[in-house]
Structure formats: structure tokens, C-alpha cells
Amino acid sequence: MIQATNIKKSYGELAVLKGVDVNINKGEIVSIVGASGAGKSTLLHILGTLDRSDSGDLQIADTLINALNDKQLSAFRNKHIGFVFQFHHLLPEFTAIENVCIPAYINGTNEKEAQTRAKELLTFLGLKDRMTHKPNQLSGGEQQRVAVARALINQPDVVLADEPSGNLDSDTSQELHELFFELRKQYEQTFVIVTHNKELAEMSDRQLVMKDGLIV
Amino acid sequence: MNITRFIARRIAFGSGKSFSGFILKIAAVAVGLSMCVMIVTNALVSGFQEEVSRKLFGFMGHIQISSFDGNRSFEDLSPINIKQDFYPSLDTVTGISRIQVYARKPGIVTTDTDFEGIVLKGIDHNFDWSFFEQYLVDGRALELGGEKKANEVLISRTTANRLGLKVGDKMTIRFLQKPPRARRPEIVGIYNTGLEEYDEVYALYDIRNIRKLNDWEEDEVGGFEVFLDDVRDLDQMSEDVYYRYVPHDLLSRNLKEINPNVFEWLALQDINEWVILVLLTMIAIINMITALLILILDRTNMIGILKALGANNWQVRKIFLYNAAIIIGLGLLLGNALGLGLCWLQQTFEFIRLPEDSYYISVAPIKLNWITIVLLNLATMGVCLLALMIPSILVTRIKPITAIRFR
Ligand SMILES: Nc1ncnc2c1ncn2[C@@H]1O[C@H](COP(=O)(O)OP(=O)(O)O)[C@@H](O)[C@H]1O
Ligand SMILES: [Mg+2]
């Protein structure tokens, strides 16, 4: 699914990634752990095509990312990658279901089709009664679940999550983590999750430990 | 689903921050005021041009037919015969409404204390009084239907004021010729068209008096005035009259050829109008650029998220251009309402007045050109949006990770 080889990234003098190799298989749930500042987010952004590496090769779903121009990269990200961040990053003016539909609309999907899928996802994630709520009317856990639905709307090859439960209490975190596994069961969904949460890391299929810009 | 429209509509008036909302409202108002002034300017300039040229043509006719050397310095020296193939049948030609005769002769009006040069314009019983009747300020029109030459004259208010004459007075006119002659007609009416250069010169008189003074035959005239239905046909009709209806030994010229200066002056008003339109459009554009930059900077977070979700630069730029279009549209709505409202007020209450001696008219007239107004709206929208293409590039500088890393 994802093959990254010898990924390097520096911010000025600071070498954040020093030649990282990552392989993720379809249907896997992989967690990335490591100290703060180890470069986990940087790696996730590069894997998610939000940022470009200084060197190294990245292939996602048989596509060579380095060969894509900005416009192609946007379209690729829209269709193949879903994101969940530490902060929900939902658009405040839009309801839950509208937020979920936005990636589909960007892709040019018609309203009806997008809404059908959004309803299905929100229902699956236990948000049937929250669809027409605006983000500020939702709890932290609900906001993150809406963000998960948004990440899934275009049936991406992989969902990348950066400390998705970083702002949630432990019960809510637990619920969210269980959802990831249910989604994998239901849809064979691939996840790469950066986390500080020990339980989640241990539940996952594999843990990648980052230290000093390398996976150890 | 159109993502551009979907998002743009929802966020049209900023993030709710009062300052940016205020700037956006200012921009809309600036666009509105520009459009308002454009509409009013256009209505005033075209109203002015139309009204002045209507007066000019009403006074002199659109086309004059005369002998080749006859039409100089307010004096018709070589008479032509009234029996022409085109007279009076020319008024049956489509686009031509009238043809009437005239003969002009300069004279000097003398009073006990004063004298003043004028031109007597001789006319006959077929003369169309509808124009002068509009501008009759005292007395009546000449009565020319009688068997005998009418010993009456219609003078302008300017002449009357300069010489201290009024309706009912007799006016002594001397003609410098060999031997010198004089006439003493009664002033039966006073007119004031406001066309100062003509008013101060012309008085209307029975053409039979001119014939007699000039020792012309009964069937001789100085020339013919031709009136058109629509001034827009002027160039075409001038050619037609000259080439198709007027014999080779006669000359026909339209008023623009006879008096180019005043028409050039009228056309010059177009330049004023253009300067105003361009300036106002620039003001609208500058305000809209500010508004657009504010909209974008207000929304860096949203832009980053949309990009992370896979929106490309052009999709995001379109959202903001659409947004700007909403603001421009609201501004235009306001501007049209205001501009048309002001035009209506001027038409109804005539509160803008002009010094008649320099502008030929006393009230600024209004002429609404609906097609022009529609074009002004479309052009403002189009030009603004085109100009906004450049600042909208700012969107491409906003990176998704910036929005995500630093909330
Ligand atoms: N835009 C940036 N400019 C400069 N330094 C950065 C930038 N982004 C991240 N860094 C630095 O890169 C290092 C790795 O950051 P990050 O990938 O966020 O670590 P993690 O997610 O593991 O905590 C940190 O030292 C951070 O300060
Ligand atoms: Mg991080």
C-alpha cells in the first residue's frame, strides 16, 4: 500500500528525518510512537503528501508521488488519503454531515450520492442524531468521529491519524480506538496512527518507534 | 455538488470578526457608490448631449440645402428657386419629417441709445412653430398666412434685454446696402431657447420682407431646412439627400458640417464621462482587492484544511472569487438602486441646475440608457473579477501543514 524508502527532510540546519523506510500493507493498523519532536508528524505529513520530502521515494497505491505536480497531488490526496488530526479541523460554519461531504464535493461527487455515504458513515460511527449539528455543538469525541467520517468519505486507501485521541479523555479515547478496529473489520480500512497512547499502540498490528529522525 | 458555490455562499461575509466584516461592507459600499456615480454620470452626460443637440437641430434643422456660395456669414446671397423636385415632396422620404424654406439677412437694430447687429431669418407660412412655441416667453408666433407681408418680428429675450424692447414695441432695423433701407416691424413675441450663440443673433421675420429687401423674385428663397425623424440617421440621411435628391447645382450640408465646434464640444463630454468611469472602476477594484485579501487572510485555516482534503489551488481561488462576486453583486444592487433613485429625483425635482448661458440648458437633463446600464454592471463585475485574479494567487502561498501544525 505505502512504500517509502530513504525519506529525508530538514528544516534549515535541523535534519528531522534522516532516511526513513516505511512499508504499510493493505488492511493494516500501524502505529508510530516516539518522543515529542522525534519527527512523527513530519513523517506522517510526507506520507500524506501534505509536504514533500527532500529526498527519497514514496509510492502509494502504485502511484509514484514524486512524479505528480501540485494539481495531480491534490486530486491524489483527495481520492486516496484520509486525515484525522489532533484537533478536529472541521469547518465551523458547516454541519457535521456537510463537513463529511466536503471531500466528496471536492472530488465532484453529486450531492445525493455524497450524502448517502455520509449518513451511512455517521450512522456507523454512532452520530445518527448529530448530523445537522455544527462542530461547536458537538463534544470532543463526537468532533473526532465526524473527522473520521470525513476522512473516510472518499473511500481512501489509507487513513493517516496524528494523535487523534490526544485531546480526549481516556474513555472517549478508548471508544475512538475501537472504532478504528471496527472500520478495519467492516471496510478493510488501512490506518497509520501517530499516538502517545500505550493501549492503542499495543492494540495495533505493528508499532514503528521513531528516534532521532529514524525508525528503530 | 459545486464546492465553490457551496462554501463561498456560507462564508460570504467573513469569519464573523467585526473588523473584517466591516472592511467587506466598505468594499461593497465602494462598489455601490462607484456604480451609482457611473449611472448618474452616464445619465447626465447623455441627457445633456441629447438635450443640447435636440435644441440645436430644432433651431436650424438637421440638413440645410442652399446654393453653393449662398450660405455664408449669416447671409443668403444667392437665392434659389423654390420650385425644386424635392420640395415639398422630400418630407415623404422615410426618415425625413419636414422641409421648410428660409432666407437670412443681417441688419442693425437701432434704438435711441443703442444699436445691435442681428440676423433676420425669413420664414413662410409653412414654418413649423412647434420648436419655437416651446421657448416662447412672451407674446405669440408670427402670423404669416395673410395675403400681405406680415410686418411682425419675433426676437430673442437676449436681444430684447439688450435693447430694452418688449412685445408690442416697434423695432427699427437698418440694412446696409445700396441704397440703405430700413423697416419698422412690431415685436409680437419673445423667445428664449437658451442657445445663447443663436439667440443673440436670430430674429424671425416674414420671408416676403426679405425677398422685397433683396429684390428677389416671388419664388426665390435662401435655402431649405430639412428635419429628420431620428438624429442617429444624420450621416446616412445627409448622404442620401445630397446624392439622391438634391440637384448638382445645389449644396446640402448637415448641421455638424455647418457648425462642427459645438458638436465637438458635445462629444468632448464623452471623455469626461470616460475619465470618471475609469477612476471609479479603479476605486472599486482597489477596495475589492483589499476585501479579497482580508477574506483570504481571515480564512488561512480553512484554506489549509480544504487543501489537506484535496482541493487544488484553483478550486480554492474560485471560492474567494465567487465570494468577491457576491460582495460586488450586493454592491451593484445597492449602486443601481441609489443611482436610479438619484436619476429619478433629478427628473422629478430638477435639483441640479446649470448656468444656461454656458451650458445652453438650465436644468441638467437625465437620459437613462438601459443597455449602457446593464453593460456598466457587467463590465464592473467582469473587470473587478479579472483584477482580483492576481491577488487571489495569495491562496497558493498557504500551505496545508501551516494550518494543521499551528492552529
Ligand atoms: N516548519 C518547521 N520549521 C522548522 N522546524 C520544524 C517545522 N516543523 C517541525 N519542525 C521541527 O521538526 C522537529 C520534528 O517535529 P514533528 O515532526 O512535529 O515532531 P513530532 O510530531 O514527533 O513531535 C521538531 O524539532 C520541530 O520543532
Ligand atoms: Mg507531532
Side-chain angles (χ1 to χ4, degrees):
Chain A
M1 177 64 51
I2 300 179
Q3 287 104 41
T5 39
N6 203 19
I7 301 290
K8 290 184 182 166
K9 178 79 180 178
S10 307
Y11 291 112
E13 295 286 280
L14 178 73
V16 179
L17 302 179
K18 299 169 181 165
V20 174
D21 298 320
V22 179
N23 273 293
I24 311 288
N25 300 314
K26 184 159 175 56
E28 256 192 320
I29 296 186
V30 176
S31 59
I32 300 177
V33 297
S36 199
K40 306 182 294 294
S41 294
T42 305
L43 176 63
L44 204 73
H45 293 154
I46 289 171
L47 295 180
T49 75
L50 291 177
D51 206 355
R52 287 186 189 266
S53 59
D54 298 338
S55 68
D57 292 324
L58 175 61
Q59 196 174 337
I60 304 172
D62 300 325
T63 306
L64 284 167
I65 299 306
N66 295 355
L68 302 181
N69 65 29
D70 281 355
K71 197 175 167 194
Q72 292 167 325
L73 202 60
S74 295
F76 181 84
R77 189 157 63 232
N78 176 254
K79 291 189 185 71
H80 298 275
I81 299 169
F83 290 101
V84 180
F85 303 104
Q86 180 175 356
F87 304 99
H88 59 81
H89 287 305
L90 298 172
L91 301 182
E93 290 89 351
F94 296 86
T95 63
I97 187 163
E98 287 170 338
N99 265 290
V100 174
C101 285
I102 284 172
Y105 295 158
I106 290 172
N107 189 28
T109 311
N110 73 51
E111 194 172 349
K112 211 168 153 222
E113 201 178 315
Q115 287 190 351
T116 309
R117 170 128 178 96
K119 277 179 194 157
E120 186 187 314
L121 282 167
L122 287 167
T123 309
F124 185 88
L125 295 168
L127 293 166
K128 202 171 188 306
D129 306 327
R130 294 285 182 273
M131 294 202 222
T132 54
H133 288 56
K134 297 259 173 88
N136 61 9
Q137 299 167 312
L138 300 171
S139 71
E142 289 168 339
Q143 289 168 342
Q144 280 306 59
R145 278 182 279 153
V146 175
V148 171
R150 180 177 66 181
L152 293 167
I153 185 92
N154 283 346
Q155 291 160 297
D157 292 299
V158 60
V159 171
L160 305 176
D162 195 350
E163 301 188 35
S165 51
N167 280 339
L168 304 180
D169 60 48
S170 58
D171 285 356
T172 321
S173 299
Q174 184 68 29
E175 275 170 38
L176 187 67
H177 300 154
E178 279 164 11
L179 274 175
F180 292 149
F181 289 89
E182 275 170 46
L183 285 164
R184 192 248 304 259
K185 210 160 89 192
Q186 185 83 7
Y187 302 110
E188 222 191 322
Q189 183 64 55
T190 314
F191 286 92
V192 178
I193 307 169
V194 171
T195 187
H196 287 302
N197 186 299
K198 278 231 159 52
E199 293 152 46
L200 175 59
E202 275 156 19
M203 278 161 78
S204 62
D205 303 336
R206 273 195 292 149
Q207 293 187 39
L208 304 177
V209 182
M210 283 202 74
K211 202 176 171 202
D212 293 336
L214 288 168
I215 290 183
V216 294
Chain B
M1 187 67 177
N2 185 328
I3 184 76
T4 308
R5 220 178 333 140
F6 180 61
I7 294 183
R9 285 202 181 152
R10 193 69 61 88
I11 65 168
F13 271 88
S15 58
K17 287 185 203 144
S18 58
F19 179 67
S20 47
F22 176 69
I23 301 275
L24 299 182
K25 279 180 200 125
I26 297 253
V29 169
V31 170
L33 286 181
S34 302
M35 182 46 57
C36 166
V37 178
M38 284 189 208
I39 288 175
V40 173
T41 305
N42 179 262
L44 285 173
V45 170
S46 3
F48 177 73
Q49 288 171 328
E50 190 182 72
E51 186 61 21
V52 172
S53 68
R54 200 184 62 75
K55 269 194 190 182
L56 290 166
F57 290 119
F59 204 115
M60 310 284 283
H62 294 86
I63 300 168
Q64 291 186 357
I65 302 170
S66 64
S67 64
F68 266 90
D69 59 351
N71 204 328
R72 249 181 272 126
S73 49
F74 301 118
E75 180 161 23
D76 300 308
L77 290 170
S78 319
I80 54 179
N81 200 289
I82 198 169
K83 295 191 199 84
Q84 302 285 345
D85 287 344
F86 60 79
Y87 185 77
S89 62
L90 197 64
D91 63 5
T92 60
V93 172
T94 322
I96 293 178
S97 61
R98 267 202 80 69
I99 178 164
Q100 60 194 21
V101 302
Y102 68 87
R104 291 166 309 165
K105 185 172 180 64
I108 297 166
V109 183
T110 56
T111 63
D112 294 343
T113 52
D114 252 327
F115 67 93
E116 186 86 30
I118 63 163
V119 172
L120 291 160
K121 179 173 169 181
I123 53 176
D124 73 1
H125 60 281
N126 286 319
F127 186 77
D128 178 10
W129 284 100
S130 56
F131 176 77
F132 276 93
E133 269 165 0
Q134 284 176 56
Y135 299 107
L136 209 57
V137 291
D138 200 5
R140 58 168 173 83
L142 305 184
E143 277 167 9
L144 304 172
E147 285 291 300
K148 285 173 63 190
K149 300 190 285 282
N151 197 25
E152 300 178 348
V153 69
L154 178 79
I155 63 171
S156 72
R157 191 168 67 190
T158 313
T159 309
N161 288 348
R162 282 185 186 169
L163 297 169
L165 295 167
K166 58 184 187 306
V167 171
D169 289 352
K170 295 243 171 198
M171 182 168 102
T172 307
I173 315 167
R174 296 177 194 284
F175 299 94
L176 297 176
Q177 57 191 77
K178 280 183 189 151
R181 288 178 175 176
R183 290 288 183 276
R184 234 175 113 65
E186 181 189 338
I187 299 165
V188 297
I190 292 175
Y191 74 87
N192 179 45
T193 67
L195 296 170
E196 222 27 64
E197 277 138 58
Y198 293 121
D199 283 6
E200 68 181 10
V201 170
Y202 282 105
L204 298 185
Y205 201 29
D206 189 335
I207 194 169
R208 288 173 291 188
N209 293 316
I210 309 277
R211 285 193 189 117
K212 177 84 178 157
L213 283 162
N214 283 356
D215 297 323
W216 289 357
E217 299 298 327
E218 285 296 296
D219 55 4
E220 283 180 325
V221 296
F224 299 87
E225 290 172 344
V226 178
F227 291 81
L228 304 180
D229 290 328
D230 189 339
V231 65
R232 283 173 294 187
D233 301 335
L234 186 66
D235 293 331
Q236 184 57 47
M237 291 308 296
S238 307
E239 296 227 326
D240 275 14
V241 168
Y242 185 76
Y243 289 108
R244 292 177 55 187
Y245 300 107
V246 171
H248 296 307
D249 57 337
L250 294 186
L251 175 68
S252 91
R253 296 187 305 166
N254 68 39
L255 197 55
K256 278 189 185 164
E257 293 162 331
I258 296 167
N259 197 348
N261 293 346
V262 63
F263 287 97
E264 276 162 21
W265 173 71
L266 278 180
L268 215 60
Q269 307 306 315
D270 284 340
I271 296 177
N272 294 345
E273 185 180 342
W274 270 108
V275 169
I276 290 174
L277 294 194
V278 169
L279 277 178
L280 287 168
T281 310
M282 275 164 51
I283 290 171
I285 288 175
I286 289 167
N287 273 285
M288 280 312 300
I289 289 177
T290 321
L292 184 82
L293 294 179
I294 294 250
L295 276 170
I296 292 174
L297 293 174
D298 236 21
R299 291 281 173 180
T300 45
N301 200 46
M302 182 192 87
I303 294 167
I305 294 164
L306 288 175
K307 285 188 176 183
L309 298 177
N312 61 45
N313 281 319
W314 179 232
Q315 281 176 314
V316 180
R317 279 171 74 187
K318 273 197 299 190
I319 293 173
F320 289 95
L321 291 173
Y322 193 101
N323 231 316
I326 294 176
I327 294 171
I328 296 170
L330 287 173
L332 290 182
L333 223 60
L334 178 88
N336 282 286
L338 217 62
L340 294 175
L342 284 176
C343 286
W344 178 80
L345 285 176
Q346 168 65 7
Q347 244 168 358
T348 316
F349 301 109
E350 308 190 325
F351 56 87
I352 305 175
R353 307 206 142 253
L354 298 172
E356 193 167 25
D357 48 358
S358 34
Y359 287 100
Y360 297 158
I361 39 183
S362 58
V363 172
I366 290 288
K367 173 149 194 280
L368 293 174
N369 311 291
W370 294 108
I371 295 174
T372 310
I373 292 174
V374 170
L375 288 178
L376 278 176
N377 276 285
L378 292 178
T380 305
M381 178 66 87
V383 169
C384 281
L385 286 181
L386 262 177
L388 291 178
M389 295 288 281
I390 296 162
S392 78
I393 290 175
L394 178 63
V395 162
T396 64
R397 317 285 301 183
I398 296 169
K399 298 218 155 29
I401 44 169
T402 335
I404 286 148
R405 260 188 205 277
F406 317 102
R407 217 160 58 104

